[in-house]
Amino acid sequence: MTREEILKGLIEILENTPQVDSKKLKNVTEKTDFLTDLEVPSTELINVIAKAENKFDVEFDDDDIDDLGSSVSGTIDLIEAALNNQ
Amino acid sequence: MNKVAIVGMDGVFPHCKDIQEFEEKIFSNRSLIRNWDLVASYDKKIRTKVAGYATPEETGFRKFSNGLPEEYPMDLEDMNGLIPNANLATSDLGSAWAMKASLGAIKEAGWTKSEVESEHTGVVIGTGAGGQEVTRKIWNLFFDHQKKTRALGSSNVPRSMVYRDAANVSCLIKNKGVCEAIGSACATGLGSIGYAYRLIAFGLQDRMIAGGTEGTALESLIGFDAMQVLSTKFSPETSSRPYDVNRNGFVCSFGCGIVALENYDQAKARGANILGVIDGYFNNSDGDGNMFAPSYDGQERLWKGLSNQTHLHPDVVKAHGTSTITGDALELFSIVGQLGNKGYHVSAPKSQFGHMLGAVGAVEVIVSLLMMKKQMVSPCLNSDTLKSEQEFFQTKDNWQGPKDPLAAYRDLLPQLALAKPIDQIVCLNYGFGGTNSAMAISKA
């Protein structure tokens, strides 16, 4: 799976998250930040990560999530690494 | 003690899209009870077949899967766009109804934004059940499907905590006063309004949003079905039949009732439309160690406590009247024991919409306010035949109540809505644990 495909999947998750303003999702790139750019509530960001595990059928280490931050690129790194470890 | 006015009301009611439809159906003698497909899908595993519920199209709230596993507690969408998504993210169905009804009650009250957001505005809303629909699903994911906790979602606590309804309403309206929940089983709705009344009467708050809510949940119904206390074998519209000789249990129902209370002098000064005045509220316990059975002594003390607070001259007694065998009979005897057998009528709204558990006391306060507005007694549907022999407990040596059988009090129970002058109504609700609540309300 390419990084572009992972990004597309993340956007699909955000599109199904009512608290996220759909207008903000038109220009999401790897440089986007979930909290500062998309204003995803921090409690909802936990759900986005859990939904990503479900969508991509991977499981993240708790320590990796603790260190994740809120960047889209970091999240794609995490998903990509988890997919490569399967 | 400050005088307390009721200045707004709204709710979510079975088989109704809004309070106007509810009012129209109540006073045209309609039943709001239906067969429930979800119950039927479990076939013989559930004894009862009927319930009082509102569909997503009626309430405006739709559940949808949010991208986690299918069993995950669902997100809610407000199809009418009244409640922001950020608030829906922390609410279960009952809380969402409470938010919608609170906005309706505040709108009718005519409170300004600064009044709502004041330190002198409080919220007291309770529920009978503990968010079982949410907790069942997250527990299944964790214990049965061995999921990590983050797969359960981050909003399960606010969606299932005991005072979730009060908390969600408070976060929506941004009041800065009290925010609490009262829990007293089937007396919760009236108990919440009673507690809110005291906060204003004692000068601790000026305005209160108060009531009860019970979101549709099969998880709530099956517990009562297990106790074999739910109505069986009748058609939906005849299944709830308080006081009738053939009654065999209550109809489990779901809904929400919210009222806006205000210091009477302040409401009067600003020219508010006052729907009613709370004359007094009293609550107590049976004290007989029995979790389930009603107590004549407890209800007698309840009436005495209420009468110590205000002059009682009820034109209507809005009874708890659930359609259970012992509860109905003992309640009617305790009413007659206090008021005699004439000069008032007994209204049993559960005959029309069933028993909304923690919401019902508040919904029945709304029915009572509607009775005063329309000057009509809501009916006791299906009370076709009253028992002409004494109840077993009336024959015991220690029985202190009336000796006549229920049939002696036929004239108290109108089977159809009845027009008459109504100035004061006494509202009664009781709950498991032997808790009893009574409130007297009157016209402004």
Side-chain angles (χ1 to χ4, degrees):
Chain A
M1 186 175 284
T2 67
R3 291 181 71 87
E4 278 186 4
E5 287 169 328
I6 296 172
L7 175 62
K8 194 177 166 202
L10 281 175
I11 293 171
E12 285 173 3
I13 290 172
L14 294 167
E15 285 171 344
N16 199 31
T17 302
Q19 291 192 73
V20 178
D21 183 353
S22 58
K23 290 196 280 291
K24 292 182 187 290
L25 298 178
K26 287 177 182 164
N27 300 309
V28 177
T29 68
E30 288 209 25
K31 291 180 181 171
T32 302
D33 187 279
F34 287 114
L35 299 184
T36 57
D37 297 325
L38 301 181
E39 296 179 356
V40 178
S42 57
T43 49
E44 198 58 39
L45 187 53
I46 300 167
N47 289 340
V48 170
I49 300 305
K51 289 175 187 177
E53 284 183 300
N54 193 44
K55 186 174 187 72
F56 298 105
D57 196 20
V58 292
E59 184 173 327
F60 307 137
D61 287 338
D62 290 348
D63 289 345
D64 290 340
I65 290 180
D66 290 344
D67 298 337
L68 181 58
S70 59
S71 70
V72 170
S73 62
T75 306
I76 293 176
D77 289 345
L78 187 66
I79 296 167
E80 193 173 40
L83 286 168
N84 289 336
N85 286 338
Q86 283 182 329
Chain B
M1 294 263 286
N2 295 314
K3 194 171 171 181
V4 179
I6 305 171
V7 293
M9 60 180 173
D10 200 0
V12 171
F13 312 101
H15 209 352
C16 295
K17 67 179 189 306
D18 54 30
I19 193 169
Q20 287 77 25
E21 184 176 359
F22 180 65
E23 176 181 337
E24 193 276 322
K25 286 182 170 175
I26 289 294
F27 295 99
S28 55
N29 307 300
R30 297 271 299 278
S31 169
L32 310 181
I33 296 164
R34 295 180 276 191
N35 284 317
W36 192 7
D37 291 347
L38 184 59
V39 165
S41 71
Y42 287 87
D43 197 24
K44 291 183 178 177
K45 289 172 75 176
I46 302 177
R47 296 174 79 245
T48 195
K49 301 298 171 204
V50 298
Y53 62 93
T55 63
E57 292 70 31
E58 288 162 343
T59 64
F61 291 99
R62 183 181 73 88
K63 298 173 190 171
F64 66 97
S65 173
N66 66 1
L68 279 168
E70 194 65 27
E71 302 87 348
Y72 176 75
M74 69 303 296
D75 275 348
L76 288 167
E77 177 190 0
D78 179 356
M79 293 185 279
N80 296 316
L82 294 171
I83 311 298
N85 287 326
N87 298 88
L88 290 171
T90 57
S91 75
D92 71 340
L93 188 61
S95 314
W97 291 355
M99 289 193 283
K100 178 187 178 188
S102 295
L103 292 182
I106 289 170
K107 186 177 179 186
E108 183 171 24
W111 294 341
T112 64
K113 186 169 183 286
S114 65
E115 286 171 337
V116 171
E117 296 181 359
S118 155
E119 288 181 68
H120 303 287
T121 300
V123 174
V124 177
I125 301 170
T127 187
Q132 290 101 323
E133 189 189 28
V134 172
T135 50
R136 178 174 72 85
K137 289 172 180 173
I138 63 170
W139 289 348
N140 280 352
L141 280 176
F142 183 79
F143 292 109
D144 296 342
H145 298 288
Q146 305 294 313
K147 297 287 184 184
K148 286 191 159 195
T149 56
R150 65 173 168 268
L152 315 180
S154 60
S155 292
N156 300 305
V157 173
R159 281 178 164 163
S160 61
M161 62 187 179
V162 169
Y163 97 129
R164 62 193 180 279
D165 311 298
N168 274 287
V169 168
S170 184
C171 286
L172 175 69
I173 68 172
K174 299 180 178 147
N175 70 301
K176 297 187 183 70
V178 167
C179 175
E180 288 177 297
I182 291 290
S184 49
C186 302
T188 295
L190 188 60
S192 298
I193 297 172
Y195 179 63
Y197 155 77
R198 287 171 177 161
L199 291 176
I200 297 176
F202 297 163
L204 301 171
Q205 299 277 265
D206 291 337
R207 286 164 295 273
M208 292 297 301
I209 287 295
T213 186
E214 200 73 51
T216 310
L218 186 62
E219 292 81 357
S220 301
L221 180 145
I222 60 174
F224 294 104
D225 198 71
M227 297 175 70
Q228 305 199 4
V229 294
L230 297 183
S231 179
T232 60
K233 300 187 177 79
F234 287 101
S235 65
E237 63 275 12
T238 62
S239 56
S240 187
R241 40 194 321 113
Y243 309 107
D244 180 75
V245 69
N246 292 317
R247 68 191 182 279
N248 62 19
F250 73 85
V251 173
C252 190
S253 189
F254 307 98
C256 173
I258 300 290
V259 294
L261 308 183
E262 186 171 2
N263 178 303
Y264 179 88
D265 293 336
Q266 293 183 17
K268 197 79 180 167
R270 70 180 179 87
N273 178 32
I274 295 174
L275 307 174
V277 173
I278 298 179
D279 299 323
Y281 173 72
F282 188 78
N283 59 336
N284 70 355
S285 297
D286 290 340
D288 59 3
N290 194 315
M291 174 64 72
F292 305 113
S295 158
Y296 189 86
D297 169 68
Q299 293 184 24
E300 191 174 45
R301 286 186 285 104
L302 180 74
W303 276 96
K304 284 197 166 57
L306 186 65
S307 65
N308 285 339
Q309 293 193 8
T310 187
H311 170 58
L312 290 182
H313 55 282
D315 305 293
V316 179
V317 176
K318 191 293 298 164
H320 193 53
T322 58
S323 191
T324 50
I325 293 170
T326 306
D328 285 6
L330 191 130
E331 178 182 40
L332 192 58
F333 295 141
S334 82
I335 294 168
V336 170
Q338 296 301 312
L339 302 177
N341 60 5
K342 62 180 109 172
Y344 64 98
H345 287 91
V346 173
S347 152
K350 290 184 189 71
S351 68
Q352 294 182 275
F353 49 65
H355 190 345
M356 293 177 222
L357 311 176
V360 81
V363 171
E364 290 177 343
V365 166
I366 290 174
V367 173
S368 300
L369 292 165
L370 293 172
M371 282 195 265
M372 290 200 297
K373 171 187 161 189
K374 295 186 80 78
Q375 294 289 285
M376 290 183 84
V377 187
S378 76
C380 183
L381 295 187
N382 306 312
S383 58
D384 301 338
T385 307
L386 305 183
K387 193 173 175 181
S388 54
E389 299 87 36
Q390 283 185 309
E391 303 294 327
F392 73 96
F393 51 80
Q394 288 181 290
T395 63
K396 293 192 171 178
D397 292 340
N398 61 353
W399 172 248
Q400 299 293 314
K403 300 281 190 183
D404 287 331
L406 285 177
Y409 310 115
R410 168 79 274 173
D411 292 345
L412 295 177
L413 293 165
Q415 291 174 267
L416 297 172
L418 173 73
K420 71 172 228 178
I422 301 173
D423 179 60
Q424 189 186 58
I425 299 178
V426 169
C427 297
L428 301 168
N429 290 106
Y430 324 107
F432 284 175
T435 186
N436 309 304
S437 291
M439 178 177 284
I441 61 175
S442 63
K443 283 179 69 181

